[in-house]
Amino acid sequence: MKQEILRLLKEEKGYVSGQALCDRFQVSRTAVWKAVRQLEEEGYVIEAVRNRGYRLTGCPDRLTEEELGAAIRGWAGRSICYREETESTNDLAKKLAAEGCPEGTLVTADYQSAGKGRRGRAWSSPKGEAVYMSLVLRPDLPPASASMVTLVGAMAVTAAVGRETGLSCQIKWPNDVVSGGRKVCGILTEMSAELDCIHYIVMGMGINTGQREFPEELREKATSLLLECGRPVNRCRLAAAVLEEFEGLYARFLEDGDLRGLAAEYNSRLAGLGREVRILDPAGAYTGVSRGIDEEGGLLVEMDGGDTRRVVSGEVSVRGLYGYV
Ligand code: BTN
């Protein structure tokens, strides 16, 4: 009934009388009042005026089915599983995917108690200050193509952040989204596959929207959209914009089966393009000039003497010569 009342208040815009709600749901005034109190506890602002009824004047910025679902028009996010708290949205999405949930299912959370980053690292996930979301995909592609999806995700985040904030972010190869030389978004893509077919991919994004400060160890490397653009960013609108941008880019990626149609756009956002970068390869670090990605997402690095090396994701990191980006 609580959700029904909310829907009615949203549709109505003006006041809805308490009696009308009682009649509609065949419940007492106390039951209506209790549902309204619950909505207020969730962050909805509801005016109650004697002889007029209830009026909705504010909605919380939460990535719930109710709020985010209303902002989504496409297939990505058509089914939303929201948790106020979960260990990791990627882990929950993988569980749902293994149980057979449809492509486009989105898991969101307000807080992750064990957020995961790439290479087994933890992902700092403070409550209410970021977007944590994981999208289930089921592409008909060979497993070797899965890593390219992450680059498509980074492009989508960059475009959506531009749309929602006006910031012009860059991509630090392969998939960190950076602003002012610091990271605002990380993407962790996980997959279940057989040798020749993908069962599912889970693409998890952590976008720092509202942090005013970061733990000591992240301070040099991380930033938030709030810090970058100086005003709060609505998480729901941003998440919906990311999903919408992703749908368009992903369709182009699937059409080609690789990044040939997107590489130029990706490279126009690539941090360090045409500059010297340091490749931190466990087999030995080296320096060269970044020439951008090829159609499979490998980074082309021109060495002294003119040879080109192709860097593939995995254990390798790329750094600018004077810092993280
Ligand atoms: C990175 O190391 O850059 C990747 C970070 C990915 C973090 C996101 S937050 C939502 C999803 N759930 C997780 O546990 N991780 C990803």
Side-chain angles (χ1 to χ4, degrees):
M1 180 183 70
K2 187 183 72 182
Q3 290 312 329
E4 299 294 315
I5 291 182
L6 180 61
R7 204 153 296 144
L8 249 166
L9 291 175
K10 277 189 169 180
E11 275 165 21
E12 199 50 50
K13 304 273 188 285
Y15 289 91
V16 180
S17 81
Q19 192 56 51
L21 293 171
C22 296
D23 294 346
R24 171 83 178 254
F25 301 110
Q26 295 292 301
V27 293
S28 67
R29 283 207 172 230
T30 314
V32 167
W33 179 80
K34 273 188 183 157
V36 167
R37 280 300 304 272
Q38 278 172 15
L39 288 168
E40 284 175 337
E41 272 159 26
E42 289 173 18
Y44 292 92
V45 184
I46 298 169
E47 241 178 47
V49 176
R50 192 185 288 272
N51 294 330
R52 296 184 82 177
Y54 298 103
R55 185 167 74 107
L56 182 67
T57 58
C59 295
D61 179 22
R62 297 165 88 214
L63 303 173
T64 54
E65 165 135 51
E66 183 60 47
E67 293 306 308
L68 179 55
I72 286 177
R73 280 175 287 279
W75 59 265
R78 67 179 143 200
S79 158
I80 296 174
C81 170
Y82 166 78
R83 294 278 185 279
E84 207 158 300
E85 171 177 346
T86 189
E87 289 188 353
S88 152
T89 54
N90 263 37
D91 287 350
L92 183 49
K94 284 195 292 183
K95 181 171 173 284
L96 297 179
E99 288 166 6
C101 75
E103 178 164 57
T105 298
L106 186 75
V107 177
T108 56
D110 206 38
Y111 169 70
Q112 296 186 119
S113 55
K116 301 189 303 184
R118 292 172 67 213
R119 298 182 198 159
R121 297 194 188 112
W123 182 257
S124 164
S125 306
K127 186 171 170 55
E129 295 187 331
V131 170
Y132 310 116
M133 64 178 183
S134 300
L135 182 65
V136 175
L137 301 168
R138 299 186 183 277
D140 185 11
L141 288 173
S145 302
S147 61
M148 289 184 262
V149 172
T150 315
L151 279 70
V152 179
M155 291 177 73
V157 172
T158 310
V161 168
R163 244 169 75 182
E164 289 300 313
T165 68
L167 286 172
S168 183
C169 290
Q170 288 192 303
I171 302 172
K172 179 178 173 295
W173 185 86
N175 55 22
D176 287 352
V177 178
V178 296
S179 175
R182 292 185 164 89
K183 181 160 161 175
V184 282
C185 166
I187 303 177
L188 174 66
T189 299
E190 300 185 82
M191 167 172 72
S192 159
E194 281 171 50
L195 271 183
D196 57 350
C197 84
I198 295 174
H199 297 313
Y200 61 81
I201 289 176
V202 165
M203 181 179 66
M205 296 174 162
I207 313 175
N208 299 333
T209 48
Q211 293 97 325
R212 288 179 190 276
E213 56 180 30
F214 286 86
E216 178 71 41
E217 65 280 10
L218 295 178
R219 223 159 272 168
E220 287 296 301
K221 285 187 184 172
T223 187
S224 71
L225 295 176
L226 172 68
L227 291 174
E228 291 303 299
C229 72
R231 60 185 164 78
V233 172
N234 185 281
R235 291 183 299 167
C236 253
R237 285 187 51 168
L238 178 67
V242 169
L243 295 166
E244 190 181 317
E245 294 288 345
F246 180 75
E247 283 188 19
L249 294 162
Y250 187 63
R252 286 163 64 193
F253 162 66
L254 288 183
E255 210 172 286
D256 294 331
D258 60 28
L259 297 170
R260 81 188 72 164
L262 298 177
E265 213 168 307
Y266 179 97
N267 287 331
S268 72
R269 292 283 185 179
L270 182 62
L273 182 72
R275 293 209 311 266
E276 265 200 303
V277 289
R278 184 124 184 99
I279 310 299
L280 306 179
D281 189 325
Y286 56 92
T287 301
V289 175
S290 165
R291 294 293 178 210
I293 60 160
D294 63 13
E295 60 190 33
E296 293 190 332
L299 183 69
L300 303 174
V301 177
E302 193 179 313
M303 310 296 293
D304 276 355
D307 282 359
T308 298
R309 282 204 201 173
R310 182 171 185 273
V311 186
V312 288
S313 188
E315 284 307 301
V316 180
S317 300
V318 180
R319 292 277 185 278
L321 286 195
Y322 307 106
Y324 168 67
V325 171

